[in-house]
Amino acid sequence: MPRPAVLLLASTLALSALADIDPCEIPLPPIVTKMGRLPGVNELPVRPALPDVLTMNDGTPVTTPAQWRLRREEMKRTLEYYATGQMPPAPGNVRGTEVKAELVADGKVKYRLIHLTFGPDDQLGLDIGIFTPAAGGPFPAIILQSGPPPGATPLPRLPNGANQGRGQNVLLVTGPAANPPPAPSLGPDMPALGRGGSGGSGGSGGSGGTVTAESTAVRNADVFRRGYALVVFNPNDCGEDTTLRDPDGSWAFRRTRFFPAYPGYDWGILAAWAWGASRVADYLETDAAIDRTKLMIITGASRNGKSAMIAAAFDERLMGAPVVTGGGGVGAYRFAGPRNSETLDIMQKKYPNWFSPQLREFWGQREKLPFDQHWFLALCAPRPFLALEGDTDVISLPEAVRQSVLAAEPAYALLGSPGRIGVHYSHHGHAFTAEDWTAMMNFADRYLLGKRDFTFDWFPSEAELDAAAKRNN
């Protein structure tokens, strides 16, 4: 593109951003972190192409694994600053206490409710539920971000923000919704542990009812038949999923859960959930029933899928298998938008609380991002990574997912593991179904247990997407 055209494009994007951001927004109070300041949107160039994962910030090509380790740290810092917010370091003091234990599913499955403590002065806690086959072990673990573990005491919940879930700009108001929701029994996305549909990226989901250890074990019988452990926790016990704002404009979620213990960090809700998943992994490394020689699979749907992706990128013990992640998930921001898919602007309008406060600067100017979502996938190299999608899930664009996979692959090739990023499209919309679960188990069997060589490389064509949408209607 000739330089005048590039300048015209940049000018047009900047004017578009100014037109889209409402001047009536109530600003968020800034949070000063140890990261300092990186360039703002007006200091960054327009980059229509996806930023290369194998080029250092100073332009040096990355050609060796040793250089990749340095590049990886550069990328992590960039993502924390612009995408997720800065997360605290691992606390190093995670301990677990068994609250209850029982045999379920006719004695075939053992369930344990464990309470974790960690953080400054051991002030933080998290309940997790561990299901394992009753005999044998140790077992590779699947960590599922879902609802409260069976038998756990639900924590009190803040109300929703005043216009949360209405598709409106949440920075225009402070205060709670008129009718605060009841404390959920199952969590933000999953109506049942391990199966079922999900709320959309903009919804709160959940089908109600009580989930028991028995029902969860029976529902996930294939997990235990294949020789895996299933570990569940509620992300809302890490950070409350609300756009509620205090009178000074700050997010109310920063007053509860993990956030008060780390006031010098600007991490968003998704980062808190990912950080919580890593604390679960900290404990599982010490549990005799878990095979610590194997990667732990981290999964979840929709917003839980976004945080699963972040957790896998930042924690080298985890193998990501996120489901229907939508905007801010696996698909590249630069390619999102067609077919009504979720864009950066949509996410920053409805749920900026999920992300770094710096990401909002790029509203209408996504080509100035110094990263894109393929960086999260590249950070997982050489570990296997599986994106689980639905062919009628309109918020996630297959082409955006495909571009992320292609742009992350060079990192895998450099480390001698090409082709380890998989994708599976099931025949459904924005949901986490039994078909997704089977694909994830097959993927785990291939890479963790060395079983059948399943393939995970099909992307639906435009014609196939049209046909799927027609069937769905």
Side-chain angles (χ1 to χ4, degrees):
M1 182 182 295
R3 184 167 179 77
V6 172
L7 293 175
L8 177 60
L9 174 60
S11 176
T12 302
L13 289 170
L15 289 174
S16 172
L18 291 174
D20 288 341
I21 296 179
D22 195 314
C24 295
E25 284 186 356
I26 302 168
L28 294 163
I31 299 173
V32 178
T33 73
K34 294 179 180 179
M35 290 189 74
R37 183 184 177 279
L38 297 184
V41 67
N42 293 328
E43 304 165 76
L44 292 166
V46 172
R47 305 179 188 185
L50 294 178
D52 186 13
V53 299
L54 294 186
T55 301
M56 301 287 289
N57 289 345
D58 64 2
T60 302
V62 175
T63 59
T64 68
Q67 285 180 303
W68 170 247
R69 299 304 302 179
L70 298 175
R71 176 57 173 159
R72 193 173 187 277
E73 293 307 309
E74 279 190 345
M75 293 167 65
K76 285 166 60 179
R77 184 168 188 262
T78 298
L79 289 173
E80 282 196 89
Y81 186 84
Y82 295 107
T84 67
Q86 187 183 16
M87 293 173 269
N93 62 342
V94 176
R95 288 183 290 272
T97 302
E98 186 176 288
V99 177
K100 65 177 295 186
E102 60 180 314
L103 291 175
V104 292
D106 295 326
K108 297 177 182 177
V109 176
K110 183 177 182 179
Y111 173 67
R112 289 176 291 146
L113 177 64
I114 306 292
H115 180 70
L116 306 184
T117 59
F118 48 88
D121 300 320
D122 295 316
Q123 63 182 284
L124 301 181
L126 182 65
D127 285 336
I128 67 173
I130 302 178
F131 295 84
T132 58
F139 309 99
I142 300 171
I143 303 172
L144 172 66
Q145 299 178 107
S146 187
T153 302
L155 298 178
R157 289 285 299 274
L158 290 167
N160 281 349
N163 59 354
Q164 182 170 335
R166 299 181 184 177
Q168 299 172 5
N169 185 340
V170 299
L171 290 191
L172 293 177
V173 293
T174 59
N179 298 304
S185 59
L186 295 173
D189 280 303
M190 299 297 291
L193 296 177
R195 296 288 192 275
S198 77
S201 284
S204 57
S207 63
T210 300
V211 174
T212 66
E214 176 70 23
S215 65
T216 301
V218 171
R219 195 176 191 85
N220 293 282
D222 187 51
V223 174
F224 313 117
R225 181 185 61 79
R226 296 198 195 206
Y228 291 83
L230 176 64
V231 183
V232 298
F233 77 100
N234 184 5
N236 270 274
D237 290 348
C238 306
E240 296 195 62
D241 192 9
T242 175
T243 64
L244 176 67
R245 302 179 71 200
D246 290 336
D248 69 349
S250 59
W251 296 120
F253 72 76
R254 296 198 183 277
R255 293 191 273 107
T256 69
R257 306 301 199 258
F258 293 173
F259 292 92
Y262 297 101
Y265 295 84
D266 63 352
W267 46 337
I269 289 172
L270 297 179
W273 295 356
W275 193 83
S278 287
R279 306 295 69 81
V280 176
D282 289 344
Y283 172 75
L284 294 179
E285 284 190 312
T286 71
D287 192 293
I290 304 303
D291 186 350
R292 69 199 69 178
T293 69
K294 299 284 196 303
L295 292 169
M296 302 176 220
I297 302 163
I298 178 69
T299 189
S302 194
R303 64 196 71 186
N304 292 343
K306 302 182 210 298
S307 61
M309 177 192 72
I310 294 168
F314 282 83
D315 191 329
E316 296 184 62
R317 301 168 298 181
L318 302 178
M319 185 174 90
V323 187
V324 290
T325 55
V330 172
Y333 280 130
R334 282 171 170 82
F335 287 85
R339 292 183 170 269
N340 298 314
S341 54
E342 284 183 331
T343 62
L344 182 149
D345 296 3
I346 289 173
M347 302 314 298
Q348 287 304 303
K349 180 179 182 180
K350 298 190 301 183
Y351 286 102
N353 54 323
W354 290 351
F355 306 95
S356 162
Q358 316 304 330
L359 188 58
R360 195 169 184 79
E361 285 190 61
F362 296 88
W363 184 318
Q365 303 192 69
R366 64 184 182 181
E367 280 92 352
K368 286 193 170 187
L369 287 169
F371 70 95
D372 215 311
Q373 298 303 97
H374 66 298
W375 279 26
F376 288 103
L377 277 60
L379 287 180
C380 295
R383 289 165 287 136
F385 182 95
L386 176 66
L388 293 156
E389 303 285 347
D391 60 2
T392 58
D393 179 19
V394 295
I395 69 171
S396 181
L397 184 71
E399 180 60 15
V401 173
R402 190 177 75 87
Q403 291 293 339
S404 278
V405 170
L406 290 174
E409 274 288 0
Y412 280 81
L414 176 68
L415 299 177
S417 301
R420 280 196 162 199
I421 308 178
V423 63
H424 180 86
Y425 275 84
S426 298
H427 299 304
H428 61 66
H430 196 68
F432 188 176
T433 70
E435 186 178 352
D436 300 301
W437 198 265
T438 297
M440 181 175 66
M441 298 302 301
N442 289 345
F443 192 77
D445 279 355
R446 173 179 177 178
Y447 286 107
L448 296 186
L449 303 184
K451 294 186 177 180
R452 289 179 55 189
D453 190 13
F454 298 94
T455 58
F456 300 88
D457 57 3
W458 172 72
F459 287 90
S461 66
E462 294 292 307
E464 288 168 327
L465 291 173
D466 289 339
K470 186 175 181 180
R471 288 195 307 270
N472 196 48
N473 292 330

